[in-house]
């Protein structure tokens, strides 16, 4: 009677590839826990995480979280050499296949500007330590880390290919990239936000305001509503 999708883009894929009726695919976005991901966590973790990974307190810090290949880490690394502010650091959390990522950073001439932190479950610490979140993903059904970054009050730079991009108004509460594999475009957007810190802070504040509506309580409420309509024999319309 219904198939729940985590984004409108997934709804379109289900309709296209599986022949489902798009009108019977309601969208319920993934939620975020505001008690875990919130700007107030900066006071708790910001300086500690930076000290742990050798990043100075005043260094503009970009954060990447996730699987390296699909989420576009290569393009962020290549963008680092195009960012004029030599203090800028890229903090990378997650795993990639193989061991060639340090070589990619070396090839781009940014070994000293990229910090590979490895895999960590407590990602809220890293959001608290960062100034911007960057993820030019090549494909993303939703993208939990995007919502978590927004809930942490960070400006987000991501691609329109992420399902969570549907929560973002371009240049208002985030930045949406049309072409993820474009280091020059990524560097341009990062540089603009680093040069306009007040604009970046306002973008982060608006991002927090936007994603506050998508707590896990919202997910439960909307999911229960879909089940209730299906069990009542009502037509479930998206």
């Amino acid at each position: 009677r219904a198939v729940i999708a985590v984004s409108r883009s997934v709804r379109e894929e289900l309709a296209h590839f599986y022949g489902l009726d798009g009108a019977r695919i309601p969208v319920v976005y993934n939620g975020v826990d505001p008690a875990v991901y919130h700007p107030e966590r900066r006071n708790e973790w910001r300086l500690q995480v930076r000290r742990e990974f050798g990043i100075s307190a005043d260094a503009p810090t970009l954060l990447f979280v996730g699987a390296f290949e699909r989420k576009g880490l290569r393009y962020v690394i290549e963008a680092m050499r195009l960012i004029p502010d030599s203090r800028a650091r890229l903090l990378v959390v997650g795993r990639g296949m193989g061991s060639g990522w340090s070589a990619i950073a070396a090839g781009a001439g940014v070994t000293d500007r990229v910090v590979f932190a490895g895999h960590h479950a407590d990602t809220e610490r890293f959001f608290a330590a960062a100034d911007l979140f960057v993820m030019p993903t090549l494909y993303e059904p939703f993208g939990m880390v995007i919502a978590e970054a927004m809930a942490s009050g960070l400006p987000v730079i991501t691609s329109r290919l992420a399902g969570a991009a549907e929560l973002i108004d371009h240049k208002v509460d985030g930045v949406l990239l049309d072409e993820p594999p474009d280091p020059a475009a990524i560097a341009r957007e990062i540089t603009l936000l680093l040069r306009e810190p007040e604009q970046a802070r306002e973008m982060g504040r608006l991002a927090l305001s936007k994603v506050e509506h998508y707590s896990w309580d919202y997910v439960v409420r909307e999911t229960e509503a879909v089940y209730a309509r299906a069990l009542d024999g009502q037509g479930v319309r998206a």
Side-chain angles (χ1 to χ4, degrees):
R1 294 181 183 177
V3 176
I4 299 174
V6 295
S7 63
R8 295 195 300 272
S9 60
V10 169
R11 178 172 65 192
E12 292 170 2
E13 291 174 347
L14 290 171
H16 177 75
F17 291 107
Y18 294 92
L20 302 178
D21 179 2
R24 295 188 180 275
I25 308 176
V27 172
V28 180
Y29 292 117
N30 283 326
V32 63
D33 186 345
V36 176
Y37 299 95
H38 194 275
E40 292 180 0
R41 304 304 297 273
R42 290 175 189 165
N43 296 330
E44 182 180 358
W45 293 113
R46 185 177 178 85
L47 294 181
Q48 179 177 326
V49 171
R50 285 174 176 243
R51 283 194 298 267
E52 182 179 346
F53 293 97
I55 300 173
S56 66
D58 62 345
T61 301
L62 321 174
L63 178 64
F64 176 98
V65 178
F68 294 175
E69 292 84 1
R70 176 167 57 83
K71 297 178 190 287
L73 175 59
R74 173 187 291 272
Y75 314 121
V76 187
I77 292 175
E78 293 173 351
M80 289 300 293
R81 65 183 177 85
L82 304 174
I83 297 172
D85 193 337
S86 61
R87 300 174 305 147
R89 296 292 181 267
L90 172 62
L91 181 56
V92 179
V93 178
R95 295 192 182 101
M97 296 180 65
S99 57
W101 292 95
S102 294
I104 292 173
V110 294
T111 298
D112 60 334
R113 301 175 71 176
V114 180
V115 179
F116 292 97
H119 174 73
H120 293 266
D122 54 348
T123 54
E124 66 273 13
R125 295 194 308 131
F126 296 90
F127 288 112
D131 299 303
L132 301 175
F133 181 76
V134 186
M135 194 181 77
T137 185
L138 300 173
Y139 174 77
E140 199 68 48
F142 182 76
M144 297 280 293
V145 290
I146 295 172
E148 290 164 356
M150 295 172 71
S152 300
L154 292 181
V156 169
I157 299 174
T158 191
S159 75
R160 295 183 184 275
L161 299 176
E166 296 167 15
L167 304 179
I168 295 174
D169 290 318
H170 181 52
K171 296 287 188 176
V172 177
D173 45 28
V175 176
L176 299 177
L177 302 166
D178 294 315
E179 298 292 336
D182 187 346
I186 296 168
R188 183 168 58 250
E189 297 298 348
I190 291 171
T191 300
L192 286 173
L193 289 176
L194 293 183
R195 287 177 175 172
E196 298 292 339
E198 184 50 46
Q199 177 184 344
R201 283 190 290 269
E202 177 63 14
M203 186 174 287
R205 285 192 289 267
L206 292 173
L208 169 61
S209 177
K210 172 73 70 66
V211 84
E212 281 178 332
H213 300 291
Y214 298 101
S215 67
W216 287 109
D217 288 339
Y218 146 83
V219 175
V220 171
R221 184 173 62 250
E222 294 298 315
T223 303
E224 284 182 337
V226 174
Y227 273 85
R229 292 195 299 273
L231 291 170
D232 286 343
Q234 299 177 22
V236 177
R237 310 297 292 181

